[in-house]
Each structure stands twice: as structure tokens, then as C-alpha cells.
Amino acid sequence: MEQISAREARRIALAAQGFADRRPEAPGKRHVLKTIDRLGVLQIDSVNVVSRTHYLPLFSRLGAYPRPLLDEVAWGKKPALIEYWAHEASLLPAATHPLFRWRMDDAREGVGTWTGIARFLRTHPDFIDRVLDEIETRGPMPASELELGAKGAKGWWGWSEGKRALECLFWIGDLTAATRRGTFERVYGIADKVLPKAVRETPTPDREDAQRELIRIAARAQGVATERDLRDYFRMGVAETKARIGELVEMGDLAPVTVQGWANDAYLDPAARRPRKVAANALLSPFDNLIWFRERTERLFDARIRLEIYTPAHKRVHGYYVLPFLQGEALTARVDLKAERKKGVLVVQSAHAEPGANAETPSLLAAELKLMAGWLGLDQVQVAPKGDLAARLAAAVG
């Protein structure tokens, strides 16, 4: 097998994620769709302390693109994206919908981790039919408008029976997200009415074919990856992932390689770019595709990234909503950010340097923070005096 250095693997991974490309001067809809297609998936999360996370990977790669463009392609009149449980709750190119129909079937049958969904469907058949009839009659609606079932049921995050039914039907593919409303509330619609005609009419591929294509997408998006990296991208099963990888190697669609310092063998996308240098500057959402699998992040960047949202405040090391800063080919800093929208301020609640930080880090990070503030419609950046990088960053922000 070919042996790849750790540095080359990092560059391959960064290029696969779009960080070896120069940002467009005027990013538009075409750039948004191309980036999403390259990544294969955008994770959705409701935390809005800076921006909801699905907007941030596009900003990291494109710069200050118009945020309404993502709303248009995701939830507009002619959406190019769909929602489904892919990595976590995710936005995906609409054309990939058929690739997840095997997962919808598994959820319906209660295979794997979806026993609770199948049990609810099996034990509430009449109620499920009533929910479907209600949406069929009234059209797409959020759970808050579905006046059926008990409210505040135990378990399932305190969801009502109606919300549980809607989510189960979403998992098995009978319902899909027609749009989002208000405070990012999902609006459920009948899939056969909401999904684009081209998607509805696409034949369902065999389970193995669909899984192979998902691994191809994961490989293209990561460049070089271990079996666990490929499996995590779309949260696939261990045995199925290993079997599909073996088949893709035999087909020549994946090339086995070893990476210096990696404990496990890896697989290279044969078409992956191998840049000699990557000169990106980008703030990364904690849910960004580049760093969402923490084990891979440690291998690539020798940086331990942890999400501390659910950690008690007095035990947090770096802060509540921390964005690592990608400088060139290294993660050189972390900033805990909060958008004070009423005040028009992007607040850096703490700033910490990483071992790879250098004399340019404060000024490059300051420029990226100012760009983000303007993109969010905020007037200025303020740096609180917390963290070993705070004083130098405050001076750079000026």
C-alpha cells in the first residue's frame, strides 16, 4: 500500500472539504449548491448563540455569502435540498433521498437502533392514520398545530403524542420537511406531495448499491479516511461499512493506504486532490464536517476538540460555543463566540491559542471575526479579557 505522510493526509482532507479553493469574490447560489454537493451533508442544530450551524460551513468556505440563499435552496418554492437523519439531523442534496430509503425501511421495521420508532408505529396504528389524514387534508403543518393526542407525554424529550407520531413518520419517509417556520420549527408534509417529482420517480436502489454510493460520497468529502471515518459520515453500521468498503476497493473506487502516525489503515479517494499547500483562514462551527468526528480531528490536527455546551459552566475549559480557527493547515486558536444581536456586537467571550499559533494568528483571526460580524449583520467585534490570546486579539481587533 502507498504510505502518505500526516501532513499530506491533512492537505488532502482540507482540499476535499473545499479549503484549498480561494473564496469567490461574490458567492452566489451556484457556489452554495456546489459546496453542499461537495460536502454531501450539512448538519442541522437548533443552537443559535452565533448562528444556526448549517449556515456556518458555507461561510467558512465561501466567506460572506447571502444567508437567504441557503433558506431558498433548502425550504423555498423549488428546494434543491431535503432534510433527513443522515449524519445527525441534516440537509442533503435532494438527489440523495433514494440512497436513504433502506434506512427508512429499517426504521419502519425496527432494525438496529430504531426499535422505539417501530414500536410506536405498531402500538398506535389508528392514531398514525389520523395524523396522516390530518396532514393530507389540511396540508403541511408543524407539530404545534397538530391538535391530536396527549400533550407532554413522558419520555422522548417530553414530546406530545402528535410530535412523536410526526417524527416517526419522518423517520420512515412517509413525511418530510416541507419547510421551516418561525423559530426554526419543522413543518411536516406528505413526502409524495412535497418531494420534487424527479426524486419521487427515481427507482429505489438496492441496499448495497445505496450504501456503496454513500461511502463514495463520504470518501470524496474526506479525501483520505479510516473505516471509522467513513462509517461516521453517514452513521452507518460496522459490518455493512466494512463489507461495502471491501467491495469498493475491489472495484477500484477506494485505494488502501497507510498514513504516518495513524493507528489504522486508511482509504484514499483515487480522485482526491493533493495540494502542496493550503492557505485557508476560517472559523469552524463545532458541527463542521471537517471536525465533527473528534477522533479524526485529533489525528489530522493533533487538537482535542470537545463540545462543552452541556458541560456545567464552571467546568468548561474553552467556553459554551467554541469555534476553532483554521489558519493555513493548522488549528491555531479557539474562540467562544456570542452574537449580541440587540447590541449589534459579536462578542468573543474567550480566546485561546493552540500550539500552532504564530505572530500572524491574532490579525488573521481578527479579520475573520470582523467578516463574520458583518455577515451576521452586527456592527462590531468585542473581545473579553479571558484566555491567553485575548489581549493580542483585542489589540488586533482594534
Side-chain angles (χ1 to χ4, degrees):
M1 291 187 291
E2 179 185 4
Q3 185 175 49
I4 296 174
S5 71
R7 178 173 292 182
E8 186 177 8
R10 189 184 313 122
R11 289 171 178 166
I12 291 171
L14 287 168
Q17 286 280 302
F19 289 107
D21 297 342
R22 298 182 68 176
R23 287 173 172 171
E25 292 185 6
K29 183 176 178 180
R30 177 175 61 86
H31 301 100
V32 167
L33 290 173
K34 181 180 178 181
T35 302
I36 296 170
D37 187 61
R38 164 183 253 156
L39 297 176
V41 56
L42 290 179
Q43 184 173 339
I44 298 172
D45 190 83
S46 61
V47 176
N48 197 27
V49 66
V50 177
S51 167
R52 289 194 171 89
T53 190
H54 47 283
Y55 295 99
L56 290 170
L58 298 172
F59 171 78
S60 300
R61 292 155 179 81
L62 300 176
Y65 73 98
R67 288 160 58 88
L69 284 180
L70 180 56
D71 297 333
E72 177 188 342
V73 300
W75 302 292
K77 292 183 179 179
K78 294 183 178 180
L81 308 180
I82 60 164
E83 285 190 42
Y84 193 61
W85 291 92
H87 179 76
E88 292 287 337
S90 306
L91 286 170
L92 304 141
T96 61
H97 179 276
L99 303 180
F100 289 95
R101 290 175 187 165
W102 62 271
R103 181 168 289 174
M104 298 171 188
D105 291 342
D106 280 0
R108 190 185 299 272
E109 300 299 323
V111 176
T113 61
W114 299 286
T115 54
I117 292 169
R119 186 184 307 115
F120 188 85
L121 293 170
R122 186 176 62 252
T123 57
H124 297 73
D126 293 338
F127 183 66
I128 293 294
D129 288 343
R130 288 170 60 199
V131 170
L132 284 170
D133 288 344
E134 188 79 358
I135 296 179
E136 183 80 41
T137 301
R138 294 175 54 190
M141 68 177 68
S144 60
E145 294 182 10
L146 184 68
E147 298 176 355
L148 296 175
K151 306 297 181 182
K154 293 182 180 179
W156 286 47
W157 303 281
W159 286 349
S160 68
E161 283 188 321
K163 173 65 173 177
R164 292 170 69 177
L166 292 170
E167 281 298 306
C168 287
L169 290 165
F170 179 82
W171 259 109
I172 66 174
D174 287 6
L175 297 181
T176 190
T179 187
R180 290 273 181 164
R181 185 181 298 172
T183 58
F184 204 55
E185 187 177 23
R186 181 184 284 150
V187 177
Y188 301 84
I190 302 295
D192 285 344
K193 292 185 175 181
V194 172
L195 291 172
K197 181 179 179 181
V199 173
R200 300 196 307 269
E201 294 181 349
T202 299
T204 300
D206 292 339
R207 181 188 188 95
E208 293 79 8
D209 289 340
Q211 291 175 347
R212 278 191 292 271
E213 185 57 28
L214 288 174
I215 293 175
R216 287 189 189 98
I217 294 170
R220 286 196 297 268
Q222 296 178 94
V224 60
T226 66
E227 178 268 324
R228 289 193 66 184
D229 296 338
L230 294 170
R231 172 160 43 100
D232 178 77
Y233 209 78
F234 290 113
R235 298 291 168 85
M236 292 174 59
V238 176
E240 290 176 321
T241 302
K242 289 183 176 180
R244 303 294 88 80
I245 288 175
E247 293 157 4
L248 289 169
V249 169
E250 288 188 11
M251 296 166 68
D253 291 349
L254 289 177
V257 296
T258 59
V259 179
Q260 180 186 11
W262 290 18
N264 301 105
D265 290 340
Y267 301 90
L268 178 72
D269 170 21
R273 290 174 57 192
R274 301 193 185 197
R276 295 183 179 181
K277 183 180 180 181
V278 176
N281 290 302
L283 287 160
L284 302 174
S285 159
F287 303 103
D288 191 286
N289 307 47
L290 180 66
I291 60 171
W292 64 24
F293 187 31
R294 311 310 186 195
E295 176 189 303
R296 175 176 170 85
T297 305
E298 288 194 39
R299 272 186 274 115
L300 283 174
F301 298 104
D302 195 24
R304 189 173 185 271
I305 304 295
R306 294 293 181 269
L307 185 66
E308 298 184 275
I309 288 176
Y310 304 109
T311 302
H314 68 281
K315 293 184 178 181
R316 291 177 190 144
V317 177
H318 295 102
Y320 178 79
Y321 199 78
V322 177
L323 282 72
F325 179 55
L326 175 66
Q327 179 185 341
E329 301 170 10
L331 299 180
T332 62
R334 309 182 201 209
V335 285
D336 180 20
L337 300 184
K338 183 178 182 180
E340 294 279 4
R341 295 176 179 87
K342 291 183 179 180
K343 297 179 180 179
V345 177
L346 180 62
V347 179
V348 182
Q349 301 186 112
S350 70
H352 295 85
E354 291 293 301
N358 57 30
E360 292 184 307
T361 300
S363 61
L364 293 174
L365 176 54
E368 199 65 17
L369 288 165
K370 291 177 180 179
L371 183 67
M372 174 176 279
W375 174 66
L376 294 172
L378 305 174
D379 300 322
Q380 59 179 307
V381 176
Q382 291 182 358
V383 183
K386 183 177 181 181
D388 58 4
L389 188 61
R392 286 177 288 163
L393 180 59
V397 167

